[in-house]
């Protein structure tokens, strides 16, 4: 007898091939059989009129930040995500420098990423998790926040910490080249670290150094890093920011395809929105002052520095910041969901003085949504054969204002970009969400509805599935998403999490 039988559904298996009518049987967390008249099961789901697919793989996630604080990963399961690729944009929980080192070995001086992984892989999760070690965290711990090259000893420590991470199941290394202190790293440093990752056939992911005026140059830099280090790579949440740069993705996608044709193993990912989400600091503070905490406060308390930054900002952006929506502001929660124009009016300041005031009060811990992308570019990137889908979000497990991609990326991709706009077919979108990332990231038993594969599955109505949240309310649940299974257990029903945690932190990817 099977544990679970999904009857009468249309199976879209993740390969890109057309769907077919079949029952799917699950036993011991695996897909045990696919076909008709399969026999009896302890539990049955009637999928008449519904589509059965592999569980979705979130190719750019920050859910590693909540591995211990929200192991159910509520927002992931509630939009069909059964595996997350996390530790992105140079951010990871570890390594950490020990305050009172008791010796000279790596473990004496640092709490390593490997030690974190040993604990994490024994913590049950609501969604499976794969994670990178973050270069920003690495550099902050070893080098600090200074704008300089690492010393030989510091570079050796960073390489040793990367090696430790790879030995303990890290996917590779991620870069957040727009954020401090990663933005202070020169190309040679990136290459040296990627060479270590390449020894393990790992992957380097990059939030590029620039996604706007110098986007083309930023893509060229990262492709050069991949070629020089012979590492595989992912360009994170690929886009072109601001009107003067719209259309540049035509050039960058051609560059990526040329690199692929030359033998570079590279993909990109995208979220299905025309607004990005990041820190206020990274958007409006020059990198030499972007050092966080008391240092940022000190810079923003110097009238001459503020006048200089303000002049640069006004010259570049003008004074209208109605395209900037606040979604994280610890000291002023009343500003959540308001534009910076509205915040400035409440504070009785002009717009950029209001920006600097928020940053002074919260030491850079202010995040916003920036409406700066074009639908044509989003669709162009989405059509690219080697584009995967992502959320670029954590799993907070709390009722907070946030970018709607936190809950809506995958239902929105299926409802808006497949059903309504017909950007790609349903079968192709499912491939981008499942078998493409599974193959690229070495998840050999995921990404397909196939006998012997993990029973990570989604069951949804293709005529109804849609994101429920928007930029003013990201708490609404998706519609048309009936069931989500992780390792054969139901983790979400009608887009509400059951609380089950049958997932795990994966450390045994195929390389």
């Amino acid at each position: 007898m099977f544990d679970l039988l999904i009857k009468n559904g249309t199976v879209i298996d993740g390969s890109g091939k057309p769907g077919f009518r079949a029952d799917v049987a699950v036993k011991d967390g695996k897909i045990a059989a696919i076909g008709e008249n399969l026999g009896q099961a302890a539990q049955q789901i009637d999928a008449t009129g519904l589509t059965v697919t592999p569980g979705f793989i979130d190719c750019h996630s920050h859910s590693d930040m909540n591995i211990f604080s929200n192991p159910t990963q509520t927002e992931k399961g509630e939009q069909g995500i059964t595996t997350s690729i996390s530790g992105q944009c140079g951010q990871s929980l570890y390594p950490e420098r020990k305050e009172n080192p008791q010796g000279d070995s790596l473990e004496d001086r640092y709490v390593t990423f490997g030690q974190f992984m040993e604990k994490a892989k024994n913590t049950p999760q609501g969604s499976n998790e794969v994670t990178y070690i973050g270069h920003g965290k690495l550099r902050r711990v070893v080098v600090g926040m200074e704008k300089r090259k690492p010393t030989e000893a510091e570079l050796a420590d960073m390489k040793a910490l990367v090696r430790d991470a790879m030995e303990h199941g890290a996917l590779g290394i991620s870069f957040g080249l727009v954020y401090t202190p990663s933005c202070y790293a020169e190309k040679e440093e990136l290459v040296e670290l990627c060479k270590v990752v390449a020894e393990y056939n790992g992957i380097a992911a990059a939030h590029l150094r620039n996604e706007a005026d110098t986007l083309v140059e930023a893509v060229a830099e990262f492709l050069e890093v991949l070629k020089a280090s012979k590492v595989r790579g992912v360009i994170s949440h690929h886009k072109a920011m601001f009107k003067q740069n719209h259309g540049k993705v035509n050039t960058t996608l051609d560059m990526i395809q040329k690199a692929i044709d030359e033998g570079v193993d590279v993909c990109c990912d995208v979220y299905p929105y025309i607004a990005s989400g990041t820190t206020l600091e990274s958007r409006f503070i020059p990198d030499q002052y972007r050092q966080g905490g008391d240092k940022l406060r000190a810079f923003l308390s110097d009238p001459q520095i503020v006048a200089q930054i303000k002049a640069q900002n006004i010259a570049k952006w003008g004074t209208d910041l109605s395209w900037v929506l606040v979604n994280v502001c610890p000291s002023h929660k009343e500003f959540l969901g308001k534009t910076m124009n509205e915040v400035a009016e409440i504070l009785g300041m002009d717009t950029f003085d209001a920006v600097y005031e928020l940053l002074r009060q919260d030491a850079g811990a202010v995040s916003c949504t920036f409406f700066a992308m074009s639908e044509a570019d989003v669709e162009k990137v989405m059509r690219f054969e080697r584009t995967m889908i992502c959320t670029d979000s954590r799993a907070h497990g709390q009722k907070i204002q946030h970018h709607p991609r936190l809950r809506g990326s995958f239902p929105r991709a299926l409802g808006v970009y497949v059903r309504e706009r017909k950007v790609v077919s349903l079968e192709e979108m499912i491939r981008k969400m499942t078998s493409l990332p599974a193959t690229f990231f070495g998840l050999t038993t995921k990404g397909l509805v196939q006998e012997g594969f993990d029973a990570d599955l989604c069951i949804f109505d293709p005529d109804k599935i849609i994101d429920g949240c928007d930029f003013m309310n990201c708490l609404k649940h998706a519609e048309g998403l009936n069931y989500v299974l992780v390792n054969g257990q139901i983790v979400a029903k009608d887009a509400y999490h059951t609380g089950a945690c049958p997932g795990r932190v994966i450390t045994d990817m195929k390389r």
Side-chain angles (χ1 to χ4, degrees):
M1 178 180 286
F2 299 115
D3 298 328
L4 174 67
L5 187 62
I6 304 166
K7 290 185 64 67
N8 306 317
T10 297
V11 175
I12 296 180
D13 67 5
S15 67
K17 297 177 182 177
F20 56 93
R21 185 65 60 85
D23 299 343
V24 179
V26 174
K27 188 173 180 61
D28 297 330
K30 299 286 186 179
I31 298 171
I34 303 167
E36 297 180 356
N37 302 316
L38 297 179
Q40 300 299 309
Q43 184 178 8
Q44 186 169 299
I45 293 174
D46 183 4
T48 302
L50 304 178
T51 296
V52 182
T53 73
F56 307 146
I57 299 175
D58 183 357
C59 298
H60 184 103
S61 169
H62 293 278
S63 53
D64 60 307
M65 295 295 175
N66 303 92
I67 277 177
F68 304 123
S69 61
N70 179 32
T72 56
Q73 298 189 37
T74 311
E75 297 91 343
K76 300 299 181 181
E78 290 180 348
Q79 61 170 299
I81 295 164
T82 58
T83 301
S84 293
I85 312 299
S86 63
Q88 303 275 0
C89 296
Q91 303 169 26
S92 59
L93 286 174
Y94 288 89
E96 286 283 5
R97 184 181 288 274
K98 291 184 176 179
E99 292 186 8
N100 298 301
Q102 301 299 312
D104 295 328
S105 72
L106 198 72
E107 290 76 14
D108 289 332
R109 292 178 291 124
Y110 299 98
V111 180
T112 67
F113 191 86
Q115 290 169 315
F116 153 67
M117 288 293 275
E118 286 303 308
K119 180 181 178 182
K121 71 182 185 182
N122 293 314
T123 305
Q125 303 289 310
S127 177
N128 298 300
E129 189 88 19
V130 183
T131 188
Y132 294 100
I133 185 172
H135 170 256
K137 181 68 169 185
L138 192 65
R139 202 176 208 274
R140 183 188 298 265
V141 168
V142 177
V143 181
M145 296 296 289
E146 295 83 10
K147 186 178 182 179
R148 63 174 177 84
K149 290 183 178 181
T151 65
E152 287 187 13
E154 288 167 342
L155 183 59
D157 268 8
M158 286 198 287
K159 292 171 73 172
L161 287 165
V162 171
R163 189 175 302 282
D164 164 81
M166 298 304 296
E167 292 282 355
H168 287 87
L171 180 63
I173 190 168
S174 74
F175 299 102
L177 298 175
V178 72
Y179 301 117
T180 49
S182 283
C183 62
Y184 301 146
E186 297 180 4
K187 184 170 69 175
E188 291 73 20
E189 177 182 328
L190 311 185
V191 170
E192 286 300 306
L193 296 175
C194 285
K195 283 180 179 178
V196 177
V197 175
E199 292 176 21
Y200 298 84
N201 198 29
I203 297 169
H207 180 143
L208 299 171
R209 208 175 289 275
N210 188 280
E211 295 177 321
D213 294 348
T214 57
L215 170 65
V216 172
E217 293 84 349
V219 170
E221 178 194 39
F222 186 56
L223 292 176
E224 289 167 7
V225 169
L226 300 184
K227 291 175 183 177
S229 63
K230 296 181 171 57
V231 77
R232 298 185 291 143
V234 181
I235 294 176
S236 299
H237 40 60
H238 192 36
K239 57 183 171 290
M241 297 285 287
F242 310 112
K243 189 174 182 179
Q244 69 271 24
N245 300 304
H246 292 168
K248 284 185 177 180
V249 297
N250 294 296
T251 299
T252 57
L253 291 173
D254 285 346
M255 294 166 63
I256 296 168
Q257 185 60 57
K258 184 174 185 292
I260 292 168
D261 293 342
E262 293 172 351
V264 179
D265 194 358
V266 58
C267 291
C268 63
D269 54 53
V270 67
Y271 47 75
Y273 297 91
I274 60 168
S276 66
T278 190
T279 63
L280 197 62
E281 178 184 2
S282 66
R283 183 68 65 211
F284 295 126
I285 302 296
D287 62 13
Q288 65 266 37
Y289 303 122
R290 206 185 303 153
Q291 297 183 23
D294 291 339
K295 286 187 177 181
L296 177 62
R297 288 193 182 97
F299 290 137
L300 293 179
S301 297
D302 185 321
Q304 288 186 323
I305 292 177
V306 171
Q308 173 193 348
I309 294 172
K310 185 174 181 179
Q312 292 174 352
N313 279 324
I314 291 175
K316 184 172 184 177
W317 309 105
T319 58
D320 178 12
L321 297 184
S322 59
W323 51 279
V324 181
L325 187 74
V326 178
N327 54 40
V328 177
C329 188
S331 295
H332 288 282
K333 294 184 179 178
E334 70 273 19
F335 293 160
L336 304 186
K338 297 187 183 300
T339 69
M340 278 308 306
N341 282 14
E342 293 171 324
V343 170
E345 185 177 352
I346 293 169
L347 293 176
M349 301 176 176
D350 69 28
T351 50
F352 278 107
D353 284 338
V355 167
Y356 310 139
E357 180 61 22
L358 294 190
L359 292 176
R360 274 191 290 266
Q361 292 190 29
D362 281 318
V366 182
S367 293
C368 296
T369 299
F370 302 89
F371 292 85
M373 295 143 64
S374 83
E375 283 287 4
D377 283 359
V378 171
E379 293 182 6
K380 178 75 175 181
V381 176
M382 196 174 284
R383 287 190 190 97
F384 186 62
E385 183 180 10
R386 300 204 82 189
T387 293
M388 304 174 288
I389 307 300
C390 73
T391 67
D392 192 9
S393 292
R394 294 170 68 166
H396 297 272
Q398 304 172 31
K399 293 183 177 181
I400 62 169
Q401 179 64 26
H402 199 274
H403 194 295
R405 65 194 183 197
L406 172 69
R407 288 186 176 276
S409 276
F410 286 79
R412 178 175 174 80
L414 293 168
V416 173
Y417 290 87
V418 171
R419 186 175 64 245
E420 296 177 6
R421 299 182 184 172
K422 297 178 172 47
V423 174
V424 298
S425 68
L426 178 58
E427 291 83 358
E428 174 64 5
M429 184 62 80
I430 295 301
R431 184 189 73 86
K432 290 174 176 294
M433 295 175 168
T434 60
S435 68
L436 174 60
T439 300
F440 187 76
F441 296 121
L443 303 172
T444 56
T445 58
K446 299 188 184 298
L448 291 171
V449 180
Q450 183 172 308
E451 289 183 17
F453 272 51
D454 298 335
D456 295 349
L457 299 166
C458 287
I459 305 170
F460 62 89
D461 187 335
D463 295 325
K464 294 181 179 178
I465 192 165
I466 196 70
D467 54 323
C469 49
D470 57 34
F471 289 98
M472 297 306 294
N473 184 353
C474 74
L475 301 178
K476 293 181 180 179
H477 292 246
E479 299 176 13
L481 179 59
N482 299 67
Y483 292 94
V484 181
L485 282 71
V486 172
N487 295 319
Q489 294 187 38
I490 297 172
V491 299
K493 184 176 180 181
D494 297 327
Y496 281 84
H497 209 284
T498 65
C501 287
R504 65 186 181 97
V505 176
I506 297 170
T507 59
D508 56 353
M509 305 79 65
K510 181 181 178 181
R511 292 177 177 150

